[in-house]
Amino acid sequence: RKHKTVSGLIRYQPKGEPSDWAAAAKEILATEKPEVIVMMLGLHDRMPIRETAADKKADAKRDGKPESKPADAKPNDADDEDPDLQIAAPEKGARGAHGVHQFRDERWGELYSKKIDETIAVLKSKGVPVLWVGLPSIRGTKSTSDALYLNSLYRDAAGRAGITYVDLWDGFVDESGRYLAQGPDFEGQIR
């Protein structure tokens, strides 16, 4: 009942509202007495993430390493690579311009997983069951692949946090695992 269309863990809503779902959930849970909490999101999170200075400092502190050089630092000759290779496949974990990481980059997955963990911690704070519902299959090979990737992050985070992950994938695919626009409902009627 507290949905926000076109929101996600990366971006919640325009100015004047919480910046992310973890902050929004804190506000919502401060006034609600839920018996169960159900979370489902992700389709709108298939976008770049900007790494903040706080993210970098937290990681450096956790790892005991000095902060890495800034994205705009000029590389030396030893860092140069064949530009054709960079176009074909960016190095995993490579920082984008100004700390921006593209969807599915290694660092993007790390930063997004932190957002999932933060949100789950807030949801668990009420001491009621928390269910994280996975994304359904979506039309298109790339979209399907994206949903599978996000679901793997949600499933892993739910397992680490000890909450229930609800996998509804099979309800939206055929026997071969391809997206279905129609299928049987709970009574067996094609819908």
Side-chain angles (χ1 to χ4, degrees):
R1 288 180 265 182
K2 298 293 182 181
H3 78 283
K4 283 288 182 185
T5 305
V6 193
S7 71
L9 292 180
I10 296 175
R11 184 179 50 134
Y12 179 72
Q13 283 292 314
K15 293 179 183 177
E17 296 197 30
S19 61
D20 59 29
W21 261 107
K26 282 181 189 176
E27 285 184 17
I28 292 167
L29 293 176
T31 61
E32 297 287 330
K33 294 182 180 168
E35 293 180 28
V36 65
I37 298 171
V38 180
M39 180 62 110
M40 181 185 188
L41 50 65
L43 288 179
H44 296 287
D45 284 338
R46 298 178 294 166
M47 63 174 58
I49 286 181
R50 179 176 300 278
E51 185 171 15
T52 65
D55 293 328
K56 294 174 195 173
K57 286 182 182 179
D59 285 348
K61 186 176 181 179
R62 185 192 71 228
D63 296 340
K65 297 177 185 174
E67 291 183 52
S68 58
K69 63 184 177 181
D72 58 353
K74 189 170 184 175
N76 62 31
D77 291 338
D79 292 334
D80 288 342
E81 293 186 22
D82 182 348
D84 292 334
L85 292 177
Q86 286 298 320
I87 292 168
E91 180 181 329
K92 285 199 176 230
R95 183 179 333 153
H98 307 291
V100 175
H101 303 280
Q102 297 302 313
F103 177 61
R104 296 181 93 168
D105 283 351
E106 183 178 338
R107 184 65 179 152
W108 187 98
E110 293 169 4
L111 293 169
Y112 192 73
S113 290
K114 282 184 189 179
K115 289 181 177 293
I116 298 168
D117 293 342
E118 290 168 7
T119 302
I120 289 173
V122 171
L123 300 177
K124 286 178 63 174
S125 69
K126 278 294 197 176
V128 299
V130 175
L131 291 86
W132 195 290
V133 181
L135 297 171
S137 175
I138 325 167
R139 184 183 314 268
T141 306
K142 183 179 180 325
S143 295
T144 296
S145 175
D146 291 349
L148 285 168
Y149 170 71
L150 289 167
N151 282 345
S152 71
L153 298 177
Y154 304 142
R155 183 181 300 108
D156 292 348
R160 285 191 308 273
I163 66 169
T164 302
Y165 175 79
V166 180
D167 187 348
L168 46 78
W169 190 264
D170 288 344
F172 297 90
V173 296
D174 64 14
E175 298 82 26
S176 301
R178 292 180 305 235
Y179 169 80
L180 274 178
Q182 299 177 26
D185 66 9
F186 67 96
E187 294 178 332
Q189 297 297 312
I190 300 299
R191 303 280 183 219

